[in-house]
Amino acid sequence: MLRRIIKIDRELCNGCGACAAACHEGAIAMVDGKALLTREDYCDGLGDCLPACPTGAITFEEREAPAYDHAAVLRSKAEAAAGAPLPCGCPGSQARAIVRPAGDAAGTAPVSSQLSQWPVQIKLVPVKAPYFDGADLLVAADCTAYAYGNFHNEFIRNRVTLIGCPKLDEGDYSEKLTQIIAGNNIRSLTIVRMEVPCCGGIEQAARRALQASGKFIPWRVVTVSTDGRLLN
């Protein structure tokens, strides 16, 4: 049948996963780090996902598509609520328990914070500050510090720290990060992200900012697993 349905431009998609989270019907999935309309019969054509997209990658089009199947959507939601594997949506939003081996519990010795500046949220930090002069910059997804136990000592120590969540924060970090890198004497850039696809937004924003700044500085990406391991 001919009907209105969403269209996702995967070139514009930054992999933040916001559209998948906003789609109450579960029509959108994150595939290879990008949003994809995987169930046309789950898309009701109302477009709750459009305002959630920070890059304008989602639009409407009118074309031949299966009819919206409300009954199938309800069955899918019931299966998900019962604990069945989710057919779509951001994998990073799936609940999971982390079982640690015996002897892996946290110790009782106090651990000193290595944070060298405040604020740390990308949205709040100024674009110019004395602590940026000659700084080694850390841009990290906020979940990484909770997932990786030695985060302060291995990543925050001797670095200026900026954190954010591309799935929950509104807008794109690229412009702000570009101003920081271009307008200050940044020596190096370390990007730390979670392994879940929606966390790719912070990596891509930092990459774009570095390219847009016109500067050539050492940089690397570190990925943390959901059970607290460094994957690279």
Side-chain angles (χ1 to χ4, degrees), residues 196-215:
V196 296
C198 54
C199 211
I202 201 162
E203 176 184 343
Q204 293 180 36
R207 286 174 180 261
R208 288 195 297 269
L210 184 58
Q211 184 177 19
S213 74
K215 291 188 174 181

Side-chain angles (χ1 to χ4, degrees), residues 21-232:
C23 179
H24 304 298
E25 289 71 33
I28 302 173
M30 302 304 295
V31 179
D32 296 328
K34 298 278 190 173
L36 183 68
L37 178 61
T38 57
R39 291 296 303 257
E40 294 183 347
D41 57 332
Y42 284 14
C43 178
D44 58 10
L46 298 179
D48 287 344
C49 53
L50 267 72
C53 179
T55 65
I58 304 178
T59 55
F60 283 121
E61 64 176 346
E62 189 167 312
R63 62 174 174 83
E64 288 290 332
Y68 170 59
D69 191 339
H70 184 61
V73 170
L74 293 179
R75 287 195 301 269
S76 175
K77 289 183 177 181
E79 291 172 0
L86 296 177
C88 50
C90 176
S93 65
Q94 295 183 22
R96 59 170 296 180
I98 298 174
V99 180
R100 303 190 182 280
D104 195 32
T108 58
V111 178
S112 299
S113 172
Q114 299 297 322
L115 191 65
S116 64
Q117 102 287 340
W118 185 265
V120 295
Q121 224 287 343
I122 297 173
K123 298 288 187 178
L124 301 179
V125 74
V127 296
K128 291 283 288 185
Y131 50 72
F132 282 131
D133 186 30
D136 293 303
L137 187 63
L138 170 66
V139 176
D142 51 15
C143 291
T144 56
Y146 292 92
Y148 187 61
N150 203 30
F151 193 85
H152 272 251
N153 287 327
E154 290 194 34
F155 295 109
I156 295 181
R157 184 197 294 269
N158 298 324
R159 292 188 177 95
V160 170
T161 302
L162 305 181
I163 67 167
C165 177
K167 185 170 184 177
L168 300 181
D169 290 344
E170 293 183 1
D172 183 16
Y173 303 126
S174 298
E175 183 177 352
K176 183 76 169 284
L177 292 176
T178 299
Q179 292 177 312
I180 291 172
I181 296 172
N184 298 279
N185 179 27
I186 303 297
R187 297 193 309 177
S188 69
L189 172 63
T190 299
I191 306 162
V192 185
R193 55 162 293 182
M194 297 298 297
E195 65 175 327
V196 296
C198 54
C199 211
I202 201 162
E203 176 184 343
Q204 293 180 36
R207 286 174 180 261
R208 288 195 297 269
L210 184 58
Q211 184 177 19
S213 74
K215 291 188 174 181
F216 298 92
I217 61 176
W219 66 281
R220 64 172 177 146
V221 178
V222 180
T223 303
V224 180
S225 70
T226 52
D227 61 357
R229 294 173 292 114
L230 299 183
L231 299 181
N232 56 349

